[in-house]
Amino acid sequence: MTSSHNELGIIVYAPALVGSDMRPLTIIYGMERALPGLRLGWTTSEKEDFIALPRRDEWVAANRTDGGFPFLCNNDDNHLVTIAGWENPNGLAAGSPPHFEVHADLPLDAAGIAAAVDVLEAVAEGARAFWGHATPFNAGVEIAQQTNPTLEGPPRPPRGLPALKLPDKIRLPEIPHYLGWLNYWSAAAARAIGFPDPARDAELRSRRTASAGWVVQLTDAPLDLDNPAHLDALKRAYDRFPEIGGRATP
């Protein structure tokens, strides 16, 4: 397998799996429906060779890896699509329990971009996520620097982006920790941050989901922080939603 930074990374944050929870297969089926022609019927060896899974569903059900589900992919090294999920022992907010994270990657090509909203919605709704996002790799690296502690002390975000608080300083698990290019907000997350407000949210392209959540898109093209218009759109969204990243909490 090859690796590339020309990827669209999707992460959603959800309540931990319990018992014989069917969310892993729901997520996988939803992602396959959202991306035409996708079959997540392979995993990889330690040498990163593709291993076919002819009984994929049974294999996923039998391998509840790390409180989630094991790595799956298609078998196209030139247009690799991957997904995996695991339990994070840390809470999403002060005093909250462990949570379930799902991480997926799509190629940042025409097909991946065209399907991105549908894929994010399918993965997030299937996980019953609190919130999540889809963001190009390069932008995601810089956005992560808004919260990463440094040896010098508090984070020093790039490009004038706001500093965001760590999860133990955030008051509710429904409050997103940061923004991405495409943002999934559950109905509870939307209420917590005050979305939507027709008078203030006209520039945000948004779509309601079946569970009454939202997918909200900051820019027409995938987020590129070297583009001044994209950087301004990201900053305006942070200004609009001060709850994101715990900034509204003293």
Side-chain angles (χ1 to χ4, degrees):
M1 264 186 1
T2 60
S3 61
S4 169
H5 290 176
N6 190 31
E7 296 171 349
L8 185 66
I10 295 173
I11 309 176
V12 305
Y13 302 87
L17 299 179
V18 293
S20 57
D21 203 312
M22 294 300 294
R23 279 182 285 163
L25 287 175
T26 301
I27 293 163
I28 294 162
Y29 296 157
M31 188 170 180
E32 289 177 332
R33 286 193 299 269
L35 190 58
L38 176 64
R39 171 64 180 170
L40 295 166
W42 289 262
T43 190
T44 57
S45 69
E46 291 183 0
K47 296 182 179 179
E48 298 192 339
D49 296 323
F50 290 116
I51 300 173
L53 300 169
R55 300 173 63 87
R56 191 269 315 271
D57 291 4
E58 291 89 338
W59 182 80
V60 168
N63 288 274
R64 186 62 70 82
T65 306
D66 298 325
F69 61 94
F71 178 89
L72 292 169
C73 61
N74 61 352
N75 66 337
D76 186 346
D77 209 12
N78 294 317
H79 297 88
L80 190 65
V81 178
T82 70
I83 191 167
W86 55 84
E87 183 175 293
N88 187 322
N90 300 312
L92 288 168
S96 65
H99 66 276
F100 175 43
E101 292 187 17
V102 181
H103 292 241
D105 287 309
L106 307 179
L108 194 62
D109 58 13
I113 292 167
V117 170
D118 291 338
V119 172
L120 174 60
E121 179 177 349
V123 172
E125 294 273 287
R128 300 200 291 274
F130 297 118
W131 60 275
H133 73 96
T135 304
F137 178 89
N138 290 336
V141 168
E142 294 199 61
I143 290 167
Q145 294 175 34
Q146 294 178 257
T147 47
N148 283 351
T150 67
L151 293 176
E152 293 78 21
R156 297 181 179 177
R159 303 181 189 262
L161 293 168
L164 307 176
K165 294 185 179 180
L166 293 170
D168 64 357
K169 303 298 183 184
I170 293 176
R171 63 185 183 87
L172 295 171
E174 293 85 0
I175 294 176
H177 296 178
Y178 53 89
L179 288 163
W181 172 43
L182 308 176
N183 300 275
Y184 174 82
W185 299 330
S186 65
R191 286 193 298 272
I193 64 173
F195 178 84
D197 181 336
R200 293 189 287 174
D201 297 327
E203 76 168 320
L204 298 174
R205 182 187 299 175
S206 60
R207 184 169 90 184
R208 202 77 185 265
T209 72
S211 70
W214 296 88
V215 177
V216 178
Q217 182 169 338
L218 297 191
T219 56
D220 289 340
L223 190 65
D224 176 1
L225 297 184
D226 289 328
N227 181 329
H230 286 203
L231 181 60
D232 286 346
L234 182 59
K235 290 178 177 178
R236 287 196 304 274
Y238 276 116
D239 288 342
R240 165 66 184 90
F241 301 109
E243 285 281 0
I244 290 178
R247 292 170 299 131
T249 304

